[in-house]
Amino acid sequence: MSTSSVTRETARDRSAAPLKRRRTPKSVRLALLYAGLWAAFIWCVFPFYWMIATSLRAKEEIFARPPSIVPHSITLQNYVDLLVGAQFWRFALNSLFLTISVTVISVLLSVTAGYAMARHRFKGSVMLPLFMLYGQMFPPVLLLIPFYIQLKFLGWLDSLYGLIPVYLSYMLPLCVWLMRGFFAQVPHSLEDAARLDGCTRWQAFWRVILPMARPGIVAVATWVMIHTWNEFLYASTFILSEKNRTLPLGLSGLIGQYTTDWGMLMAGGVVTAAPILLIFFFLQKHLVAGVGGGAVKG
Amino acid sequence: MRLKPHWSSIFENGTGARLYPYLMVMPAILIAIGVVVYPVVSGITSAFYDVTLRTLNSGDMPFVGMRNFERVFADPNFVRASLNTVIWVVLNVVAQLGLGLALALLLHRIVPGIGFFRSGILVPWVVPSVVAVLTWRWMYDPSVGIVNEMLVRLGVINDYHPWLGDTATALYAVTVESIWKGTPFVMLLLLAALQLVPKSILEAASMDGASGWRMLWHVILPQIRVSFAIAAVLTFILTVNNFNAIWLMTEGGPLSSSEILFTLAYKYGFQRFDLGRASAVATMLFVGLVIATTIYLKLIQAKEAD
């Protein structure tokens, strides 16, 4: 109390005249704010712009020196080259298959587990969520080696099915943790009301709580989709043959030993990033509240 | 009044009711044991065995005690990679937190067009990491890269420079990409924290004549300190585990100048197939990350208690 009143007094003393001079005028501050915003915006968006600009240039222009910021002419040739080959579609289908399988499995498993951890008291209901969070933090390089040995024993190296359990190790723990957070926010009273109306515990969960928690479930599902779609380390270690490659792996394969077709590579980058960007900007509100909040609040 | 009986009514009382929560967590726990706990334990164990392609195929892996660790410590590349890891982590964490806080403060104000800026600044976070890394590799191109062209035009350098091909600059060039990619997420965490700071505190402080740096240091930072610490630990964990950036730009080269412990372990494991030695490095990283994670959890609990 006393300190705050002291600061207030000194502030009042100063505010008599000199404070007005010290403060920069509002319009200048606003201009500075916008200058900062534009600088940050350009820094963040430029590489993305450069990828798109490169993908739309003709081959001769890509390797012209000095490079020009704005393309002189626009061509879709790189996209045609990329999409006409069967390889690209194959990679896209592989990625799609993995993404859907991993998302469905992890959401189904984490919904019930997250709910039980949020609502029921049982042996381990306090420790298990923490264990789940630890699971997420394990360095992938430690898991790579045992996974490699296991997959080799099972004969699942170089197989998309073999990647599903590997991806679950990387997705499931955090999914459970996030789901628990969402269910903890659904008010108890709703469940109690459903139970009074004669629902069993399972029905109350399935018919009342699950629909209520839909935004959280969508956020978690999107989070899994994005991470599975983007995953590179495990895929590049366990997938050996070209036909089983996922999109990120296919892209990195376009880097040549001596020369690289950067136009086509950047076109591939645009096509790989497009679904993620669309999903993201479509669901931005859910995701930012869900995942950002989940990481902080738990 | 009771609705028609449902199969799930067996969970209402007695043994069914007691088993119910266990049945609900069981599938996730079983899978987590299979794909997380078991591999971690077996990964740590193999740090003490001689695991190579040859011993793996014959099925006879001899116990070697601390030999793998001794061989790791004797490798000059390990010393190099440890130093690089320290540089890599410190630069990334400091820059991402500093820039992330600056961005969060910029984007915190509600001014016309703020939605546009917020979306744009999240782009690096959303772009798939492989795509982002390959784009930066192209921008760093030694003969026609846009980074070179811009720096020449700004007068920073006289001639095009092979940023990723020079032992003096490779690690720092990759760090710039990693900062670019990681900052928006830090910004999100800090922005969320800033929005929870009660308006009345900020207003009171600005009426008291606090402005600029003083306001930031004495009013805002103490309010968001827990979120700030959480962001620091998360950035640390994500940076130690960032493989894609280094691997797809330099593969740790040239001459190990951008080697970090992660890429070193990966090379031991999957280029030389000396899986025992790779596990030894991975186990050391694991211990570091467990300590960081423990701090992270303590911080989260402190936050929940607030």
Side-chain angles (χ1 to χ4, degrees), chain B residues 75-148:
Chain B
D75 183 353
N77 279 335
F78 172 76
V79 180
R80 185 75 205 248
S82 305
L83 281 176
N84 283 342
T85 306
V86 173
I87 297 174
W88 166 249
V89 167
V90 169
L91 285 181
N92 267 298
V93 172
V94 170
Q96 289 185 31
L97 286 174
L99 290 173
L101 180 64
L103 283 181
L105 289 169
L106 274 178
L107 293 173
H108 178 51
R109 317 277 183 85
I110 302 297
V111 292
I114 196 71
F116 166 76
F117 288 107
R118 280 187 188 164
S119 302
I121 287 167
L122 286 178
V123 162
W125 181 53
V126 184
V127 171
S129 116
V130 169
V131 175
V133 173
L134 294 176
T135 303
W136 275 85
R137 181 166 167 174
W138 163 233
M139 298 201 326
Y140 279 132
D141 191 274
S143 54
V144 290
I146 189 72
V147 170
N148 274 317

Side-chain angles (χ1 to χ4, degrees), chain B residues 64-300:
Chain B
V64 293
M66 298 301 284
R67 261 259 303 289
N68 285 323
F69 289 91
E70 284 160 18
R71 281 165 63 220
V72 167
F73 288 129
D75 183 353
N77 279 335
F78 172 76
V79 180
R80 185 75 205 248
S82 305
L83 281 176
N84 283 342
T85 306
V86 173
I87 297 174
W88 166 249
V89 167
V90 169
L91 285 181
N92 267 298
V93 172
V94 170
Q96 289 185 31
L97 286 174
L99 290 173
L101 180 64
L103 283 181
L105 289 169
L106 274 178
L107 293 173
H108 178 51
R109 317 277 183 85
I110 302 297
V111 292
I114 196 71
F116 166 76
F117 288 107
R118 280 187 188 164
S119 302
I121 287 167
L122 286 178
V123 162
W125 181 53
V126 184
V127 171
S129 116
V130 169
V131 175
V133 173
L134 294 176
T135 303
W136 275 85
R137 181 166 167 174
W138 163 233
M139 298 201 326
Y140 279 132
D141 191 274
S143 54
V144 290
I146 189 72
V147 170
N148 274 317
E149 177 62 21
M150 282 185 167
L151 291 178
V152 166
R153 279 204 210 163
L154 290 173
V156 179
I157 49 173
N158 291 323
D159 205 0
Y160 281 23
H161 184 84
W163 299 101
L164 297 173
D166 180 343
T167 51
T169 55
L171 182 64
Y172 303 99
V174 182
T175 305
V176 170
E177 189 277 343
S178 162
I179 292 169
W180 174 82
K181 180 91 178 97
T183 305
F185 180 63
V186 176
M187 182 276 286
L188 265 187
L189 295 179
L190 296 181
L191 186 62
L194 276 182
Q195 284 171 344
L196 292 176
V197 175
K199 278 240 166 62
S200 55
I201 294 186
L202 297 180
E203 275 162 15
S206 78
M207 278 207 307
D208 283 352
S211 64
W213 293 111
R214 281 167 42 116
M215 174 109 148
L216 177 65
W217 191 253
H218 293 290
V219 184
I220 298 177
L221 276 184
Q223 283 288 322
I224 62 167
R225 65 179 194 287
V226 179
S227 298
F228 196 79
I230 289 174
V233 178
L234 267 185
T235 312
F236 169 78
I237 294 171
L238 290 174
T239 307
V240 172
N241 285 335
N242 186 349
F243 171 81
N244 293 359
I246 291 193
W247 193 255
L248 287 171
M249 283 211 245
T250 64
E251 288 201 14
L255 297 173
S256 302
S257 60
S258 59
E259 196 87 87
I260 58 171
L261 289 173
F262 195 144
T263 56
L264 183 73
Y266 192 82
K267 280 184 183 167
Y268 282 157
F270 298 96
Q271 285 185 349
R272 302 189 208 163
F273 283 98
D274 190 346
L275 296 167
R277 191 148 60 136
S279 300
V281 177
T283 303
M284 288 186 250
L285 275 178
F286 171 73
V287 172
L289 286 172
V290 165
I291 294 172
T293 309
T294 309
I295 298 173
Y296 172 71
L297 290 177
K298 284 270 178 301
L299 290 170
I300 285 188

Side-chain angles (χ1 to χ4, degrees), chain A:
Chain A
M1 274 310 275
S2 65
T3 44
S4 78
S5 68
V6 168
T7 45
R8 191 158 299 168
E9 265 162 40
T10 49
R12 209 171 288 142
D13 290 343
R14 257 193 272 122
S15 70
L19 193 71
K20 282 234 166 64
R21 241 191 303 130
R22 254 188 57 226
R23 282 233 162 150
T24 17
K26 200 169 179 209
S27 58
V28 175
R29 275 191 294 152
L30 203 63
L32 281 175
L33 176 68
Y34 274 105
L37 284 173
W38 274 113
F41 183 84
I42 291 171
W43 160 251
C44 286
V45 173
F46 182 78
F48 185 67
Y49 161 76
W50 192 245
M51 170 173 76
I52 298 175
T54 305
S55 75
L56 293 172
R57 284 171 208 237
K59 299 250 178 318
E60 314 80 64
E61 200 191 322
I62 289 174
F63 292 103
R65 182 170 172 171
S68 65
I69 303 265
V70 182
H72 294 306
S73 60
I74 284 180
T75 164
L76 288 176
Q77 191 57 43
N78 291 315
Y79 288 89
V80 174
D81 289 349
L82 180 80
L83 299 177
V84 161
Q87 292 290 44
F88 179 82
W89 295 104
R90 176 101 218 177
F91 301 160
L93 276 180
N94 288 343
S95 275
L96 199 64
F97 165 77
L98 267 177
T99 304
I100 293 175
S101 326
V102 173
T103 308
V104 169
I105 297 174
S106 31
V107 167
L108 282 180
L109 292 174
S110 60
V111 156
T112 55
Y115 173 75
M117 286 179 190
R119 276 297 146 80
H120 294 288
R121 296 252 154 260
F122 55 96
K123 272 190 195 121
S125 61
V126 179
M127 284 312 294
L128 279 177
L130 291 182
F131 159 74
M132 286 292 164
L133 195 59
Y134 262 99
Q136 188 59 33
M137 305 297 174
F138 290 148
V141 68
L142 183 67
L143 296 169
L144 261 177
I145 296 150
F147 275 140
Y148 182 84
I149 297 173
Q150 278 307 312
L151 292 177
K152 197 171 152 63
F153 266 119
L154 294 168
W156 287 354
L157 270 184
D158 193 24
S159 126
L160 289 174
Y161 297 102
L163 277 183
I164 293 177
V166 175
Y167 282 6
L168 283 179
S169 80
Y170 162 64
M171 297 296 163
L172 189 62
L174 198 68
C175 277
V176 175
W177 171 262
L178 291 173
M179 286 287 188
R180 190 197 69 114
F182 291 124
F183 285 119
Q185 286 165 13
V186 177
H188 275 271
S189 54
L190 282 165
E191 207 176 348
D192 296 340
R195 303 266 286 138
L196 278 178
D197 283 348
C199 283
T200 63
R201 290 208 274 185
W202 173 259
Q203 284 171 313
F205 165 65
W206 192 250
R207 298 216 188 129
V208 180
I209 305 299
L210 217 48
M212 282 293 298
R214 197 189 291 145
I217 297 171
V218 170
V220 174
T222 315
W223 185 84
V224 180
M225 276 193 261
I226 292 178
H227 280 265
T228 313
W229 184 262
N230 294 348
E231 206 284 332
F232 173 74
L233 171 66
Y234 290 125
S236 81
T237 312
F238 300 140
I239 295 297
L240 311 167
S241 62
E242 189 146 10
K243 70 175 189 350
N244 286 333
R245 285 185 179 175
T246 59
L247 270 182
L249 206 49
L251 279 187
S252 72
L254 288 176
I255 295 263
Q257 186 94 44
Y258 303 106
T259 59
T260 300
D261 184 350
W262 285 105
M264 194 158 120
L265 182 54
M266 290 296 111
V270 172
V271 177
T272 306
I276 301 296
L277 287 163
L278 282 179
I279 290 180
F280 179 77
F281 286 110
F282 196 60
L283 296 172
Q284 193 176 9
K285 280 221 173 82
H286 286 300
L287 279 186
V288 172
V291 176
V296 180
K297 280 183 241 142

